[in-house]
Amino acid sequence: MNKLLNIGFTLVISSLIGCSSSPQTRDARPSTPTFVSVDQEIDVTEQLAKIQRYPSHQQPSAVLNLAKQLSNSLEPEKCLSLLLNGYAWITELKTEYKEQALVCYHQLNPQSISDELFDETITTASAPLSKILAQKAFQTGQYGLAAIHFLNTDEDQQVQSDSAWAALQFMDNTAIQQVSKRYPRLAPWATLTRLTRLYGDKPNTFNTKLSQWKVQYGSIPVPTEVSATTSGIMPRTKITVLLPLTGTYAEQGMVIQQGILASYFKQTNRVVSFQFVDTAKENSEAIVEYANNSDVVIGPLLKDKVAELVPLINSQVPVLALNQVNSTTALDDSFDNRFYFALRVEDEAQQLAQLIYDKGFNEPLVVASGGSTSARMLTAFQAEWKNKYDDTANNVPRIIRYHDRKSMRKNLSGALDIDQSKQRIKHIESIVTGKVHSIARNRQDIDAIVLFASAQDTTLLNPIVEASVSPFSEQIPVFGGSRNTPSYIEKDSLRDLRNLHIVDIPWFIQQTKYRTLWKETRLLFPKRRDGLMRLYALGFDAFNLLFEMRHLRRHPNYTKSYLTGSLSISTEGVIKRRLSLGKIGQKGIRPLDER
């Protein structure tokens, strides 16, 4: 193989010099490469003719040295032409060739870098070139490589440390672990990132860990942002909670209030005082005054109140709003201590689309009931699916809607082509004498079904799907969200809901994990419907988030488990929820770890 590569490289040199040489005897070749002085103008053709007479194993390094001479003599065009025509044939010196080509390209184009030459195997370069490489790596999402190049710039050590640290914050824990193995030089920042994510909300523990880190990596400056992490837990005592406690939404507000207090009584290391303000009764000025005289605010709950009140509250007071307005205005005006925590049904629909796409299903059928909630979920699902397929028309999911049980059965059977199959059977029976043994068959191109329907409707829809699938075909998987099934499934309903895949909050899917809290809550509120139980979980999580939300916002790729989902916080302060996946079996909902 090496012999073929050497032959190929010799051919490239021949093409570069534009002539062929007669065979030379081994004794006629120089024993070592010789080059002209840098002060002289270099004749590339002449130098390549000399190199062609070298032993084949010396030719690659000789061409590389010639390229360096061209670069040093400020002839980058010749250098680049030489390398771009020759380096692709080289195996053992390919990285060195690309490094030198980058140097020559940078001489010609100081503010950019060639996509062709950009290579993740190149981790060393001059300080000016390293800045360009770092920017290129960052733009292409190669954050570990960007961190390496940041460390090679001519900035002072503090700036280098801050830049490397910032690049790693765009990566999740698994990616950071992998990149630190690939680039051992990044170990100090990878270790520090792990420590801040694990202990950033526990100042005493984190300070101890940070001291140990300083001993181990004493010559490396602590990133500037990390100093703020030592005070990552907010020393708040007075909490103002803005909820509707009278009027139309009083029940929802009081359930969230109970969740907040339950969460408070579950912890033992925080001393706080609560001030509950009824947003349905107090006027805006009074509400804002209450908020401004507190250390931190939870709420408001309703979208219109979030849009109205949050911008009016003092920018120094952290606010954890329990909804998110449709407009991005409130987010664009927000300060670093504005946070938005909402239980949006759109989250479920988007994650269902992601789940189905990840499982390799290409032809989903979406069944949606009438009503605004199903319409919102359908819109969110379609938008997410469209993003997955880059507007490819052939992958638009089929949609059927229904408004009552009669149209439900008719439209679903029609979408599965059951009626057409039955008609074909009747036609055959009419023209054939004797008994015809037949089974209606469903269409074969639908590979998944999504239900945006109530729990009651789902107990009818799921059996229709099961009965409609031909015994000669695989069962079509059926997916749904939080509205499709109650948290506690009666035995009579298990058969009708079996094999249904559900995306919902972990508190409902992973009941074994949260068994104690679940039993306590059900004992206190045995008849509380599921929608209110989710709001109870929202309040429970909101109190805990108060003391961790700044920390999570600094690390947007870090997630932490709560009752309402695996939560992370974007740089804009929006709480993102990753829901749990379960499947209904003979004994109820079984958690799945497939995603």
Side-chain angles (χ1 to χ4, degrees), residues 501-502 505-513 580-585 587-595:
H501 296 77
I502 294 294
I505 64 174
W507 197 30
F508 282 14
I509 298 293
Q510 303 174 30
Q511 291 184 6
T512 301
K513 180 178 179 180
S580 294
L581 174 65
K583 184 177 181 180
I584 299 178
K587 297 182 179 180
I589 300 178
R590 176 171 58 89
L592 298 179
D593 297 322
E594 298 176 4
R595 293 195 300 153

Side-chain angles (χ1 to χ4, degrees), residues 243-254 278-281 302:
L243 293 171
L245 300 176
T246 58
T248 306
Y249 298 98
E251 185 178 23
Q252 289 85 344
M254 286 187 288
D278 186 356
T279 55
K281 183 166 46 176
L302 304 181

Side-chain angles (χ1 to χ4, degrees), residues 27-250:
D27 293 339
R29 295 173 181 169
S31 58
T32 57
T34 57
F35 301 100
V36 298
S37 168
V38 174
D39 294 333
Q40 302 174 8
E41 183 178 351
I42 300 174
D43 187 328
V44 176
T45 302
E46 179 184 345
Q47 295 300 315
L48 285 175
K50 291 181 180 180
I51 292 173
Q52 193 178 23
R53 296 195 294 272
Y54 296 162
S56 59
H57 68 278
Q58 292 184 351
Q59 291 178 4
S61 59
V63 172
L64 183 60
N65 287 334
L66 175 59
K68 291 179 179 179
Q69 281 199 340
L70 289 168
S71 176
N72 293 336
S73 62
L74 302 181
E75 297 184 81
E77 298 94 338
K78 292 182 180 179
C79 168
L80 204 57
S81 176
L82 170 68
L83 293 173
L84 292 181
N85 280 284
Y87 82 85
W89 293 94
I90 308 304
T91 54
E92 61 272 13
L93 292 180
K94 190 168 185 178
T95 298
E96 288 86 344
Y97 267 57
K98 277 199 172 184
E99 287 179 357
Q100 187 57 46
L102 278 170
V103 171
C104 297
Y105 187 94
H106 184 59
Q107 287 178 296
L108 289 170
N109 307 277
Q111 302 302 320
S112 65
I113 200 67
S114 165
D115 290 337
E116 180 184 2
L117 295 176
F118 183 72
D119 191 333
E120 62 181 14
T121 62
I122 298 175
T123 57
T124 58
S126 65
L129 180 56
S130 291
K131 290 182 180 180
I132 304 298
L133 291 172
Q135 295 171 6
K136 186 70 173 182
F138 195 87
Q139 292 168 358
T140 56
Q142 300 182 66
Y143 301 115
L145 183 61
I148 283 291
H149 287 306
F150 279 133
L151 296 177
N152 293 330
T153 65
D154 55 3
E155 302 286 353
D156 62 53
Q157 280 192 310
Q158 184 65 60
V159 174
Q160 289 181 355
S161 182
D162 289 350
S163 300
W165 161 266
L168 294 189
Q169 302 319 298
F170 287 86
M171 306 172 69
D172 60 29
N173 292 342
T174 301
I176 288 178
Q177 185 177 12
Q178 293 171 347
V179 83
S180 64
K181 290 181 179 179
R182 182 170 188 177
Y183 306 120
R185 191 180 175 190
L186 295 179
W189 294 272
T191 300
L192 190 56
T193 298
R194 182 178 62 84
L195 293 177
T196 55
R197 292 180 179 182
L198 285 175
Y199 308 110
D201 59 340
K202 303 176 181 64
N204 292 334
T205 303
F206 178 74
N207 286 331
T208 300
K209 297 291 184 181
L210 181 60
S211 298
Q212 295 170 354
W213 183 90
K214 290 177 180 179
V215 171
Q216 184 175 1
Y217 304 106
S219 61
I220 296 175
V222 176
T224 303
E225 185 183 350
V226 175
S227 60
T229 307
T230 59
S231 57
I233 192 168
M234 298 183 298
R236 307 299 181 189
T237 55
K238 188 176 181 180
I239 301 174
T240 294
V241 184
L242 309 179
L243 293 171
L245 300 176
T246 58
T248 306
Y249 298 98

Side-chain angles (χ1 to χ4, degrees), residues 40 165 249 421 430 528 531 564:
Q40 302 174 8
W165 161 266
Y249 298 98
S421 180
S430 68
R528 176 167 286 173
T564 56

Side-chain angles (χ1 to χ4, degrees), residues 29 166 182 221 223 258 304 344 369 446 467 514 529-530 589:
R29 295 173 181 169
R182 182 170 188 177
Q258 291 165 356
D304 59 338
R344 301 167 65 246
S369 65
I446 294 174
Y514 302 105
R529 62 183 187 272
D530 289 341
I589 300 178

